[in-house]
Amino acid sequence: MLQVFENLSTLHSFRQSLLQSGLSLGFVPTMGALHQGHLALIERALQENDQVICSIYVNPTQFNNAQDLAKYPRDFENDLAQLQKFSNLHVFLPNDQVMYPAPALLKFDFGYLEQVMEGHFRPGHFNGVAMVVSKLFHLVKPTRAYFGQKDLQQTRIIHRLVQDLAFDLELVICPTIREEDGLAMSSRNRRLSPSERIAAKLIPDTLFSAREVIQVRKNSIEEIKNLVHKHFEEAGLRIEYFEIVDRFTLLPIENLDNVKEVALCIAAYLGEVRLLDNVIFGV
Ligand code: AMP
């Protein structure tokens, strides 16, 4: 039977009982509207830990756009129904009062790591992410925490958060789970119209073909970028950014000769819906 903790005292007593019995705890933070990508993180966490907590909380402080927050899909009943089948899984389902009894004053600054891509186009986003993840880490005290490579920049930010604040936990980054046509699973995909959903295939198609161009034909960075922008223009879709970066530092790569592992990162709009994706590979 799935236990749902809605307040800090029930979460705390559960955590204390695990500590006393020496059991390990996996943690999967989510914003709900669960899909197979989330479930894959939960399954991995269940394989590697005695017990697992999945949190479901749409964190307002990481939205820099009020419309995006208002329209973010929420489907808690269906989320809980999807989780019923798992043993040793528990849900932390806090509300805003539990997470932010007072508006946070503390600010995070991740320097160069947040000046590119998501950090550049969504000012304040990673401050909100770092705030909620720090609070969740303190409350849940996980042995291991699981995040998706789908949000690559977020994984790098959290990596630094854990390092800089000495959180005593292991970070586990899991591969991106895709739909059959290649589109990365995302809660935001629910907001796509049928025609936008079909058009969204251009995102993975572009990433995979750019990867091939880099690996096989060794074109220049500028040529690849031009090609990607051309694909999107021809399809009438808006690209917010397409970056070729070092997979660890996330800094743009000027010349492919000196790098070992590259990430291609994209944010694009399908109508009003902003989708993110990336691929990582060796060159
Ligand atoms: P979200 O609910 O979108 O905040 O995502 C919660 C966690 O699930 C984050 O660590 C995401 O990176 C991860 N995630 C989201 N989509 C996918 C996916 N398609 N494959 C793997 N992990 C994902």
Side-chain angles (χ1 to χ4, degrees):
M1 176 68 187
L2 192 72
Q3 287 189 75
V4 180
F5 310 122
E6 294 189 32
N7 55 52
L8 299 187
S9 60
T10 49
L11 174 69
H12 186 69
S13 44
F14 170 75
R15 188 63 191 108
Q16 284 304 105
S17 70
L18 285 192
L19 283 173
Q20 275 156 16
S21 45
L23 296 177
S24 61
L25 178 63
F27 178 44
V28 182
T30 80
M31 298 207 296
L34 299 181
H35 50 69
Q36 198 53 48
H38 297 117
L39 299 188
L41 298 186
I42 292 171
E43 282 162 11
R44 170 98 180 255
L46 283 167
Q47 280 164 15
E48 297 177 352
N49 300 275
D50 297 312
Q51 302 278 321
V52 171
I53 290 182
C54 165
S55 65
I56 301 178
Y57 177 59
V58 182
N59 173 38
T61 65
Q62 72 187 69
F63 287 81
N64 58 320
N65 174 329
Q67 278 282 326
D68 191 26
L69 174 61
K71 292 191 173 171
Y72 196 84
R74 292 165 175 85
D75 198 353
F76 299 135
E77 266 183 35
N78 184 39
D79 289 344
L80 296 181
Q82 289 193 69
L83 299 180
Q84 292 290 348
K85 65 177 178 187
F86 296 107
S87 323
N88 302 325
L89 176 66
H90 314 272
V91 176
F92 180 41
L93 188 68
N95 60 22
D96 290 339
Q97 188 53 36
V98 170
M99 288 309 288
Y100 295 100
L105 286 179
L106 177 65
K107 295 268 183 254
F108 292 83
D109 179 349
F110 291 91
Y112 72 93
L113 253 191
E114 64 166 272
Q115 279 154 21
V116 292
M117 301 194 287
E118 293 303 284
H120 177 75
F121 287 99
R122 300 180 70 189
H125 169 64
F126 287 123
N127 179 60
V129 168
M131 178 56 71
V132 79
V133 170
S134 302
K135 283 191 182 220
L136 289 168
F137 282 173
H138 278 302
L139 297 170
V140 174
K141 300 183 183 61
T143 319
R144 298 181 189 84
Y146 295 78
F147 292 86
Q149 184 207 302
K150 154 96 174 15
D151 299 282
L152 178 65
Q153 195 169 4
Q154 173 172 281
T155 68
R156 298 313 298 159
I157 293 273
I158 292 169
H159 178 82
R160 281 314 296 251
L161 185 73
V162 167
Q163 196 173 46
D164 291 0
L165 293 181
F167 279 106
D168 183 18
L169 55 86
E170 184 188 333
L171 262 191
V172 184
I173 310 301
C174 304
T176 302
I177 305 295
R178 299 180 177 279
E179 302 284 357
E180 256 177 42
D181 68 350
L183 180 66
M185 290 194 183
S186 163
S187 305
R188 289 191 162 88
N189 294 353
R190 294 188 187 200
R191 294 185 50 210
L192 299 173
S193 70
S195 62
E196 287 165 352
R197 171 64 192 81
I198 292 169
K201 180 174 167 20
L202 184 67
I203 297 175
D205 282 356
T206 301
L207 287 180
F208 297 142
S209 65
R211 174 177 63 188
E212 196 184 314
V213 169
I214 291 175
Q215 288 182 318
V216 180
R217 286 193 248 146
K218 312 271 184 207
N219 292 38
S220 75
I221 298 285
E222 202 187 327
E223 282 167 338
I224 297 156
K225 284 192 164 182
N226 289 341
L227 200 74
V228 166
H229 282 278
K230 192 165 142 257
H231 280 174
F232 274 75
E233 247 166 55
E234 281 168 4
L237 295 182
R238 184 150 74 91
I239 204 164
E240 190 161 67
Y241 63 78
F242 169 75
E243 296 291 349
I244 303 176
V245 300
D246 178 293
R247 73 157 290 187
F248 294 110
T249 65
L250 302 186
L251 293 175
I253 287 171
E254 321 248 299
N255 180 344
L256 287 163
D257 293 341
N258 311 326
V259 255
K260 288 208 171 72
E261 285 194 81
V262 167
L264 308 182
C265 302
I266 193 166
Y269 279 94
L270 279 292
E272 282 186 353
V273 185
R274 184 176 183 276
L275 297 182
L276 267 195
D277 201 353
N278 67 79
V279 288
I280 297 177
F281 53 95
V283 284

